[in-house]
Amino acid sequence: MKQKVLLMGRSGSGKTSMRSIIFANYVAQDTSRLGATMEVEHSNVRFLGDLVLNLWDCGGQENFMNNYFESQRGHIFRGVKVLIYVFDLDSNDHRQEVKYFKDCIQALSENSADAQIFALLHKMDLVPEGKQASTRDEYEKEVRTIANPFSVECFATSIWDETLYRAWSTIVHQLIPNSQRIETMLEQFRSVCEAEEVVLFESATFLVISQAASTSHPDVHRFEKISNIVKQFKLSCAKSQAQCDEMVVRNASFTAFVHRFTSNTYVMVVTTDKAILPTATAVNIGIAKAHFEKTLSATGATAESSA
């Protein structure tokens, strides 16, 4: 089942850079050599089971944007599941950005009234630290007013930290139709393993799909930090023609197991009880694979039946 995702924003807002980091294993330093997107670039990203993200990266040059809202209006905005609109916080023409966003909302209301909308307040790293909170609040208020009656979720993002992964993980999580079932299964699995936390990652992007924990954690960006670490380790392995199927990180406080889990996922299991043998955790992971494979492979079918 394909889910149409529009990625829109003015030219230079950072759309192609973030797409390349999330889906093409770029690192932030390498995005400077990317060229501007011309018209619309289509890519199909198989995520879980038969769930495919049909990503439309729409070039943001003025003539392209005008075409999207005029001659290509129905083609672009019909059948949209998600609109991700990228606001450039470093832009010197805020009025034009707002105008384009208003045009997107109007076009969606005519063609895809049930679409979900996410606004990425991008390049937050270029906003002085003392003004970041107020800048975010001002943008969120304006964006939500414009988007009404659509609801919109806003994220402050940067390619230089974990915020970009957090935003995209949240977006993708909401596209998974049986996410509640997956969360329930993860909590049951965590309980059986007597683990403090279990996290499920998509294998290609290492975006967080779901998690279960016995206690809250003070670091809200820990999943994204782990994603970055493991993803870079996988890339290093690939360069030496090695494959990363599992890794174990252990210190005096915890043991973390990262294993290839199903055909589309990795799982991380974190334990703190030294009485729990690593082999027992590995056996539990192996036993759980078949159950999760069945549920995750049904994702696309569930999405199609609910469409």
Side-chain angles (χ1 to χ4, degrees), residues 16-27 204-205 231 235:
T16 302
S17 292
M18 66 173 64
R19 188 194 73 183
S20 299
I21 289 172
I22 297 297
F23 296 108
N25 293 326
Y26 273 66
V27 294
T205 61
K231 194 171 183 180
L235 288 173

Side-chain angles (χ1 to χ4, degrees), residues 199-254:
V199 187
L200 193 65
F201 298 96
E202 196 276 330
S203 59
T205 61
F206 249 77
L207 292 173
V208 176
I209 296 171
S210 190
Q211 62 93 23
S214 60
T215 58
S216 59
H217 196 285
D219 186 356
V220 296
H221 293 301
R222 68 193 182 283
F223 299 146
E224 291 70 38
K225 292 175 182 176
I226 294 166
S227 293
N228 279 323
I229 291 169
V230 178
K231 194 171 183 180
Q232 293 309 310
F233 181 72
K234 282 182 63 185
L235 288 173
S236 297
C237 290
K239 289 177 182 178
S240 60
Q241 298 184 328
Q243 186 172 338
C244 175
D245 285 331
E246 62 183 69
M247 60 187 293
V248 179
V249 179
R250 182 182 293 112
N251 65 17
S253 302
F254 69 87

Side-chain angles (χ1 to χ4, degrees), residues 126-145:
L126 299 180
V127 178
E129 189 171 346
K131 295 183 178 180
Q132 289 183 359
S134 60
T135 298
R136 174 172 180 158
D137 290 344
E138 290 169 9
Y139 264 88
E140 284 193 10
K141 182 179 179 181
E142 184 175 29
V143 165
R144 290 198 169 104
T145 299

Side-chain angles (χ1 to χ4, degrees), residues 2-271:
K2 286 186 178 181
Q3 305 277 27
K4 184 176 179 180
V5 179
L6 289 187
L7 181 59
M8 303 194 76
R10 292 186 70 204
S11 180
S13 61
K15 303 183 301 298
T16 302
S17 292
M18 66 173 64
R19 188 194 73 183
S20 299
I21 289 172
I22 297 297
F23 296 108
N25 293 326
Y26 273 66
V27 294
Q29 293 88 336
D30 292 340
T31 59
S32 59
R33 67 173 187 257
L34 292 169
T37 300
M38 307 304 289
E39 299 189 55
V40 181
E41 289 188 8
H42 301 270
S43 56
N44 290 319
V45 182
R46 184 171 297 279
F47 203 75
L48 289 176
D50 293 326
L51 177 61
V52 177
L53 305 187
N54 182 215
L55 188 63
W56 294 38
D57 183 357
C58 302
Q61 292 87 343
E62 184 176 358
N63 58 323
F64 295 148
M65 295 293 278
N66 290 336
N67 285 338
Y68 303 151
F69 301 126
E70 295 171 6
S71 61
Q72 300 182 51
R73 192 179 187 90
H75 173 65
I76 296 292
F77 291 98
R78 189 178 299 117
V80 175
K81 182 69 174 179
V82 168
L83 166 67
I84 303 171
Y85 195 91
V86 182
F87 287 92
D88 183 356
L89 299 187
D90 195 41
S91 171
N92 56 7
D93 195 351
H94 177 69
R95 181 176 297 180
Q96 189 63 43
E97 288 205 283
V98 169
K99 177 185 179 302
Y100 285 148
F101 183 61
K102 287 181 178 178
D103 290 340
C104 285
I105 296 301
Q106 181 60 40
L108 281 179
S109 67
E110 297 168 3
N111 294 277
S112 300
D114 59 346
Q116 295 175 266
I117 301 175
F118 299 90
L120 304 190
L121 314 180
H122 198 49
K123 304 182 184 178
M124 184 59 80
D125 56 292
L126 299 180
V127 178
E129 189 171 346
K131 295 183 178 180
Q132 289 183 359
S134 60
T135 298
R136 174 172 180 158
D137 290 344
E138 290 169 9
Y139 264 88
E140 284 193 10
K141 182 179 179 181
E142 184 175 29
V143 165
R144 290 198 169 104
T145 299
I146 294 170
N148 187 54
F150 288 95
S151 61
V152 57
E153 191 165 356
C154 300
F155 299 91
T157 58
S158 167
I159 64 173
W160 300 103
D161 60 26
E162 299 82 16
T163 54
L164 187 63
Y165 268 84
R166 181 174 179 82
W168 279 87
S169 288
T170 302
I171 292 168
V172 169
H173 177 79
Q174 295 192 31
L175 287 172
I176 300 172
N178 55 351
S179 58
Q180 190 61 52
R181 169 62 177 157
I182 295 171
E183 289 175 10
T184 300
M185 290 178 66
L186 274 185
E187 174 55 33
Q188 293 170 343
F189 178 50
R190 185 204 64 76
S191 178
V192 168
C193 292
E194 299 182 72
E196 307 307 307
E197 191 161 40
V198 176
V199 187
L200 193 65
F201 298 96
E202 196 276 330
S203 59
T205 61
F206 249 77
L207 292 173
V208 176
I209 296 171
S210 190
Q211 62 93 23
S214 60
T215 58
S216 59
H217 196 285
D219 186 356
V220 296
H221 293 301
R222 68 193 182 283
F223 299 146
E224 291 70 38
K225 292 175 182 176
I226 294 166
S227 293
N228 279 323
I229 291 169
V230 178
K231 194 171 183 180
Q232 293 309 310
F233 181 72
K234 282 182 63 185
L235 288 173
S236 297
C237 290
K239 289 177 182 178
S240 60
Q241 298 184 328
Q243 186 172 338
C244 175
D245 285 331
E246 62 183 69
M247 60 187 293
V248 179
V249 179
R250 182 182 293 112
N251 65 17
S253 302
F254 69 87
T255 302
F257 305 83
V258 180
H259 281 236
R260 179 177 288 277
F261 198 43
T262 69
S263 56
N264 299 104
T265 64
Y266 276 75
V267 69
M268 182 180 73
V269 180
V270 180
T271 61

